[in-house]
Amino acid sequence: MPSPHPMRAFSLKSSWRCLSLCLSLAFPAGALAQHKPGEVIIERSAVELEPGTRVSYELGTLYVPENRRKPESRLIGVGFARIKAPRPTGAPPVFWLPGGPGLSVLGSLIDDDAAGKGRLRSWLTFGAVGDLVVLEQRGFTRRGEMLEASSDAMLLDRPGSAQVEAQAMRSLARRAIAENPGKDLSGYDITELAADVDALRRALGYQKVSLFGGSFGSQWSLAVMRLHPGIVARAVLSGVEPLNNGYDMPSDVFAALQRIAYDADRDPGLEPYRPAGGLMEAVRTLHRRFATGPVRVQVRDDAGGGQTVVLGAEDLQLALNSHTQEGEQWPAFILSLYHGHYEGWAREVIADRAAGKTKLIGPLIDSSLGVTAEREHLLRTDPATELLGTWNFEANIASAPDWPTRDVGDALRKPLPSAIPVVFVHGDWDTSTPIENTLGLLPYFPNGHAILVHRAGHDGAFYLLRGEPAAKEAVYEFLKTGKTAGLPHEVTLPVPRFALPSFTAPAAGETSSAGAPSP
């Protein structure tokens, strides 16, 4: 689900953060001219994961045309890593495709941070299957281009608007071209990313590969399966995003919120904060409150100064979209707003409206992939747009003609039957890529198997692989052999510990402290 805000990290598909650029991996001047399309350069090294435990790996650069449709296209570098299996298994290698778009992951091998080390530990478990190859995305890779452009600050003295965001996105597209001279931005679409997978497979000498991808990584995998079906042995996809579902159906997102609310309404810690009717009644109350007019919120800083921001009905819609990545945090956020505590929300909006840099790979891919006319009609007429608005798709659709990447066409977007065996893992608390994505795609995969994870969010597969040893072993056996015996159809996670609002609960019978909206 792409972010509608050009100043936000471009995508709500995942809460992962981009790793900082490591200058030691930058290309020396003129280096690309020395290489040929499809060539790889590999450096071998090792990292100490724990005292006394060293992990050997290969860090490489794949050289590919920036735009394969243009014979004279310049070469660009795309980073990858390979961790070879401790012993040969005879299975195809697993190609692990990151999400985003705009997630750089090679820092897991070279940076000293806890998040990277955690990801590296998860990568090592794939050794039970075979070799693991991690390929970064062209346009956002630490071994090549890190495409960005400047975004303007948005005004604080008026409410946010999806239409204003659409105009800002159109301006960003024009600025992206101006700020990246000599770069062919038309070469950064999902068909080129899929071709990069095939190019790396050939360069490393593999006949077939298995795919593992979550969120955009699943969409990228689906493009590989559509455009290069002969190279894919099997796949495991989580937080599934079909090629025609880059913009999520508002009703599907709202249904995930309702499932979160069901458990939150039974949480004793939240009981003193909940209105009669529960969490969804709080949502409806907020919707009615902001329909009467915006509110002005003053935010103080540590130096005694502060800023004032105006928040309106569409800002509330955006907040309902963007504060749902962690189901255990969402009820506290909604109940804080219900009781008139807007300060935390206002701080976030001020930060989001500030000028900054935007990663371009997201809008370049999403504007190219788009949706069919039929899906756009369903998005715009969906009844849940009343509560969630059109933030999820408005700016992307409006700015699509301004981005240089081509429209890939409905032939790629629409699902087709595929005999490739795929395990789909999806959480029913996923508000970034709703579970309906998997349910709608499954009939096209006669050799598919769905694992529905109740109470799992956007990283449902990772919940499953961390906390369900038997299921984890079965998924790895599937990747290794294609066997589906032992794979569950459903996994139920325990009710999480819901976060509480940061203020004292109001006394029984006390009404909300929210004041009337200001003009």
Side-chain angles (χ1 to χ4, degrees), residues 349-375:
V349 172
I350 289 171
D352 287 342
R353 294 190 191 177
K357 290 284 189 178
T358 296
K359 294 179 280 187
L360 297 181
I361 189 61
L364 285 169
I365 291 173
D366 289 329
S367 64
S368 170
L369 193 53
V371 292
T372 62
E374 179 183 10
R375 184 167 177 85

Side-chain angles (χ1 to χ4, degrees), residues 47 86 90 96 123 139 157 160 204 208 210 225 231 262 327 334 343 352 359 364 380 420 436 461 474-475 512:
V47 60
W96 193 97
W123 287 350
D157 61 354
L204 296 180
K208 286 200 171 191
S210 295
M225 288 188 276
I231 74 171
Y262 177 83
I334 293 299
E343 297 83 1
D352 287 342
K359 294 179 280 187
L364 285 169
R380 293 192 178 280
I420 297 173
E436 286 80 4
V475 168
S512 167

Side-chain angles (χ1 to χ4, degrees), residues 6-8 148-154 172 175 179 351-359:
M7 292 172 289
R8 301 170 79 89
E148 293 181 323
S150 304
S151 55
D152 292 326
M154 308 293 285
L172 178 67
R175 185 171 295 169
E179 292 184 0
D352 287 342
R353 294 190 191 177
K357 290 284 189 178
T358 296
K359 294 179 280 187

Side-chain angles (χ1 to χ4, degrees), residues 381-415:
T381 59
D382 188 278
T385 56
E386 182 179 359
L387 288 171
L388 300 182
T390 62
W391 291 93
N392 180 30
F393 54 85
E394 193 71 61
N396 294 90
I397 292 176
S399 65
D402 300 287
W403 292 99
T405 41
R406 64 188 175 119
D407 184 329
V408 298
D410 287 354
L412 178 62
R413 285 186 277 259
K414 291 182 177 180

Side-chain angles (χ1 to χ4, degrees), residues 9 11 17 121 128 155 159 172 198 205 212 219 388 394 411 437 509:
S11 186
R17 302 291 187 199
R121 288 186 183 92
L155 297 174
L172 178 67
D198 186 40
F212 190 99
Q219 191 175 60
L388 300 182
E394 193 71 61
N437 288 359

Side-chain angles (χ1 to χ4, degrees), residues 122-154:
S122 72
W123 287 350
L124 292 177
T125 62
F126 285 90
V129 177
D131 294 351
L132 177 72
V133 178
V134 179
L135 177 62
E136 291 201 310
Q137 298 153 12
R138 60 165 54 213
F140 204 80
T141 171
R142 295 176 64 158
R143 308 283 287 194
E145 302 289 345
M146 304 285 281
L147 299 175
E148 293 181 323
S150 304
S151 55
D152 292 326
M154 308 293 285

Side-chain angles (χ1 to χ4, degrees), residues 16 97-100 212-219 221 236-240 458 462:
W16 293 335
L97 305 183
F212 190 99
S215 191
F216 172 72
S218 73
Q219 191 175 60
S221 298
V236 173
L237 308 181
S238 68
V240 180
H458 193 49
F462 303 104

